[in-house]
Amino acid sequence: MEQLEKLYDCAERHLVDSFDWPAFSHAFSEAFAAEFSLYCTFGDGLNSGADEYKIYATSDTACVTDFFENGFYQIRPMHEEDLAPLEPHRRTDYVSDEQVKELGPFYSFMQKHDVFYLMISPAIMPDGSLLSLVVWRGEKMRDFDDLEKQRLALFLRYIVALIRKQELVAPNIEARLVSFGKKHGLTATETEILGGLLAGQSLREFAASSNRTYATVRSHVKTILSKCHVNSQVGLLREFYSLIER
């Protein structure tokens, strides 16, 4: 089962009929091979104190409690308020490993809880609050790759829909995909390939599952990028996400 399918499955089992956050936390952490936290902040960031945040779920209670109660959010290397919404952001894209070691108390906090590779995905909720899905791994593990960024972006939209108690994104991807394809003049094959990318497949994985060569799929992706006037797969996903938000 693909990683993204596992994430959807753990959400459907633990969050659709009722919100069983502890069970979801365990299942998510296992499926994504990382510790995680899902929390909401209100008002002027977190500057007003403990009443200004709500923790929905976490796989590491001690770490997240320490993060908030000791004010480490004030010196964390990436501020969710400054990040593009609904897009995952890796710590290593903003702050180098050497720069992290210069963060003093925050680096000590990271060492204490084995937090080194970090990725944050923020989302603005209808009431103006900021929902953040944060995942992290220890220094001896690997950083999050681009495919994991893509999968986390898709999954965050699903979680946002659940929390808003609105129509779920996952079952309606197909209709939105067709609409996106028509808007940009994509062929049926190109739309199919885009669907594979949105499902979290790499180009090689899609080529194998669709009985196409990698070179053929790569050529189609270049055409898709050209038609959508973007320069990368990340830009392509951003363009697709903007359509969902309209």
Side-chain angles (χ1 to χ4, degrees), residues 22 42 61 70 83 86 91 129 152 160 171 176 200:
F42 306 88
T61 302
N70 291 286
L83 302 178
L86 293 167
R91 186 272 298 168
S129 61
L152 196 66
V160 167
R176 297 173 188 270

Side-chain angles (χ1 to χ4, degrees), residues 3 7 28-37 59-60 63 90-92 97 100 109-111 113-120 134-149 151-152:
Q3 184 182 58
L7 296 179
F28 179 96
S29 181
E30 186 176 275
F32 209 72
E35 301 295 341
F36 102 106
S37 180
S59 61
D60 190 338
C63 176
R90 287 177 299 213
R91 186 272 298 168
T92 48
D97 293 351
V100 163
F109 158 79
M110 293 175 69
Q111 287 183 305
H113 295 284
D114 196 23
V115 177
F116 193 73
Y117 297 112
L118 180 72
M119 187 158 61
I120 298 175
V134 184
V135 293
W136 65 91
R137 290 173 177 153
E139 188 170 4
K140 293 183 179 180
M141 301 179 71
R142 63 175 177 81
D143 197 0
F144 300 98
D145 60 32
D146 290 341
L147 193 56
E148 288 174 315
K149 287 180 65 176
R151 289 168 177 168
L152 196 66

